[in-house]
Amino acid sequence: MSWQKEIEGIEERGQRAREQGGREAVAQQHAQGRLTIRERISGLVDEDSFREQGPIAGHAETDEHGELQAFTPANYVLGFGKIDGRPCVVGGEDFTVRGGSPTPAGLRKSVFSEDLACRYRVPLVRFLEGGGGSVPRGGGKGGDSGGEAVNAPPRFMSIMQVMSLVPVVSAAVGPVAGLPAARLVASHFSIMTRNTAQVMIGGPALVERAFGRAISKEELGGAEVHLKSGVVDNVAEDEPGVFAQIRRFLSYLPTNIWEAAPLLSCDDDRNRQEPALLDIVPRNRRRAYAMRRVIEYVVDRDSFFELAALYGPSQITGLARLNGQPVGILANDSAWYAGAMTADGAQKVRRLIDLCDTFHLPIVSFVDEPGFMIGPEAEQAATIRHGTATLFAIMQSTVPWASVIVRKVYGVAGAAHFGPGGMVFAWPSAESGALPLEGGVAVAYRREIAAAPDPEAKRRELEEQLASRRSPYARAEAFGVHDLIDPRHTRPVLCDWIDWIRPQLQLHRGPRAYTIRP
């Protein structure tokens, strides 16, 4: 007996699943400036590399003869694909079916995407668009007639496990609320579109019901909100921009924690010496300078990929390459609070350290740290707690570190830029101590300043006297740094360091374990 009828049933269900929520729903999605999930997957992965899993999962309605009358596909699409030739799992909600609110099969598929990434040890990419509304549990159109078994794994378990094993990227490409919002932040890299995505724990209707306040989705969770909140790392102008940033982020990371990061061929001279580095740091200690230019002059050309630029902006974090080797980048931006570490900045640094330690990327720190941010707002933000937790993360890190003291390193926060056993280089502009010169003078000479006819002039006089006595050689002569270097030599010195640590990078494989943090 032929199975042709059943084969035709599979093909018909597959065809209806590819139609998603139907022509009208797809047209509405496009009218709102958003792609469908199938278009997103096609735009991200290499051509003809996507292999869908569960293509006919959904809800079928048949007549008394078993003939298909209607078919509603599961509103989550997932499968294997390749990005720049490397395998990955990619999936996301289908907003054209129930506005992305999970169907029973859709929810199972979303969890299965995480299981697949763990099982096959490949990166996971999620496109998020929808709410975390409850799944029908009665005799409704979902098909489930009861709750989960008491011994079923907790729903968040797979979300946690996948982050510890493989790179996870999530993109908010429409309105995102509830569980999808939690998935967004449970990622190594999170991104959203500027004008078509909003991220919320609960949407405007819930907010108005709870607080009696009418607010738009954009005001509640738009890109301008979350660039500064730290919920997302980056924002893209459109969905093709999202695809490009996802590809770029993954290019720095290994496929999983058991593999080494991809080493690319480099056509940038490892011995390149930028003349501009010689005078990029002003002799006037109160003047800011462009730390990002320092980074770009040192790392491989066009390789610096910044993360979360507007969150904790006094700290700069990102990924780059040195002679083709992916590295984590940490630096201070003197244009914000003179580079002082705020509570947000500390959390941002901790995330970079954890990312690099999980995937065995060496860390390069460009140091210009005046210390933890002070003042009433800093105290209210629990800066010292978040800062100390970051210090724990650094002391627990196992990857190689190289630190370049560009200008200042003061206070407890200064330790946030030096890893265990790391190499330390200093420029002639480097200075260090328990307190910055200005604060130290104000404390140590308080009575003398107060007794002067012109206290402000006296304070400036003392600061200038002490600053003039500082020598760039003292720390190197005491072997407080490994070398005092010409700023123009920074790239060659760090490329040599990369050669020295390569054997270590082959040893640091597998999962990390951490003690409790403050």
Side-chain angles (χ1 to χ4, degrees), residues 154-308:
R155 185 172 295 176
F156 214 80
M157 181 64 75
S158 64
I159 300 174
M160 179 277 296
Q161 288 175 329
V162 72
M163 274 198 77
S164 67
L165 303 178
V166 300
V168 179
V169 175
S170 294
V173 282
V176 175
L179 181 61
R183 276 194 163 104
L184 177 71
V185 298
S187 308
H188 299 107
F189 178 59
S190 56
I191 186 171
M192 67 188 294
T193 47
R194 185 176 299 280
N195 299 313
T196 58
Q198 304 84 32
V199 181
M200 306 154 285
I201 297 172
L206 291 178
V207 171
E208 185 171 8
R209 179 68 182 85
F211 300 104
R213 178 186 173 190
I215 186 170
S216 70
K217 287 188 291 188
E218 197 65 28
E219 292 171 319
L220 188 58
E224 295 307 310
V225 173
H226 288 313
L227 270 176
K228 298 176 182 177
S229 74
V231 162
V232 295
D233 296 303
N234 288 0
V235 164
E237 295 304 318
D238 53 24
E239 295 195 38
V242 168
F243 308 153
Q245 289 202 42
I246 290 174
R247 292 190 198 101
R248 188 172 184 192
F249 176 79
L250 289 175
S251 74
Y252 296 92
L253 298 183
T255 299
N256 55 57
I257 62 171
W258 294 276
E259 297 185 12
L263 180 63
L264 302 186
S265 60
C266 178
D267 58 6
D268 187 3
D269 183 2
R270 61 176 292 152
N271 294 313
R272 174 170 53 85
Q273 300 181 31
E274 291 289 346
L277 289 174
L278 189 60
D279 56 8
I280 197 167
V281 177
R283 284 192 174 272
N284 183 340
R285 301 168 61 257
R286 294 180 178 85
R287 284 185 56 199
Y289 60 96
M291 180 62 92
R292 288 173 179 81
R293 286 178 58 203
V294 172
I295 297 168
E296 289 164 357
Y297 284 148
V298 172
V299 302
D300 295 355
R301 293 190 190 279
D302 302 319
S303 74
F304 180 51
F305 182 61
E306 188 168 0
L307 302 172

Side-chain angles (χ1 to χ4, degrees), residues 269-274 277 297-300 322-323 327 363-366 401-405 422-428 481-502:
D269 183 2
R270 61 176 292 152
N271 294 313
R272 174 170 53 85
Q273 300 181 31
E274 291 289 346
L277 289 174
Y297 284 148
V298 172
V299 302
D300 295 355
L322 277 167
N323 202 27
V327 297
I363 296 171
V364 178
S365 177
F366 295 91
W401 279 68
S403 300
V404 180
I405 306 175
M423 294 295 295
V424 180
F425 307 101
W427 287 7
V481 297
H482 291 100
D483 201 1
L484 181 66
I485 63 173
D486 181 331
R488 294 169 293 186
H489 297 168
T490 307
R491 173 174 171 80
V493 164
L494 290 177
C495 286
D496 286 345
W497 171 74
I498 288 293
D499 289 342
W500 305 338
I501 65 171
R502 284 225 168 97

Side-chain angles (χ1 to χ4, degrees), residues 252-446:
Y252 296 92
L253 298 183
T255 299
N256 55 57
I257 62 171
W258 294 276
E259 297 185 12
L263 180 63
L264 302 186
S265 60
C266 178
D267 58 6
D268 187 3
D269 183 2
R270 61 176 292 152
N271 294 313
R272 174 170 53 85
Q273 300 181 31
E274 291 289 346
L277 289 174
L278 189 60
D279 56 8
I280 197 167
V281 177
R283 284 192 174 272
N284 183 340
R285 301 168 61 257
R286 294 180 178 85
R287 284 185 56 199
Y289 60 96
M291 180 62 92
R292 288 173 179 81
R293 286 178 58 203
V294 172
I295 297 168
E296 289 164 357
Y297 284 148
V298 172
V299 302
D300 295 355
R301 293 190 190 279
D302 302 319
S303 74
F304 180 51
F305 182 61
E306 188 168 0
L307 302 172
L310 297 184
Y311 173 64
S314 63
Q315 309 293 313
I316 299 171
T317 59
L319 301 171
R321 291 186 179 86
L322 277 167
N323 202 27
Q325 169 66 49
V327 297
I329 297 291
L330 168 61
N332 300 87
D333 188 347
S334 60
W336 291 87
Y337 314 121
M341 184 172 288
T342 62
D344 286 350
Q347 294 176 76
K348 173 177 167 179
V349 169
R350 179 187 56 76
R351 286 199 69 220
L352 177 77
I353 303 308
D354 285 348
L355 171 69
C356 293
D357 210 45
T358 298
F359 295 107
H360 325 302
L361 303 184
I363 296 171
V364 178
S365 177
F366 295 91
V367 189
D368 188 3
E369 178 63 73
F372 286 127
M373 188 64 184
I374 61 174
E377 291 82 6
E379 304 300 350
Q380 292 163 15
T383 301
I384 192 63
R385 177 175 291 278
H386 294 300
T388 303
T390 297
L391 293 176
F392 270 49
I394 291 164
M395 295 307 107
Q396 291 166 352
S397 67
T398 60
V399 295
W401 279 68
S403 300
V404 180
I405 306 175
V406 174
R407 185 153 68 176
K408 57 188 176 292
V409 52
Y410 288 108
V412 177
H417 301 271
F418 304 89
M423 294 295 295
V424 180
F425 307 101
W427 287 7
S429 48
E431 57 181 79
S432 61
L435 283 173
L437 180 63
E438 294 78 5
V441 167
V443 172
Y445 295 89
R446 179 172 53 87

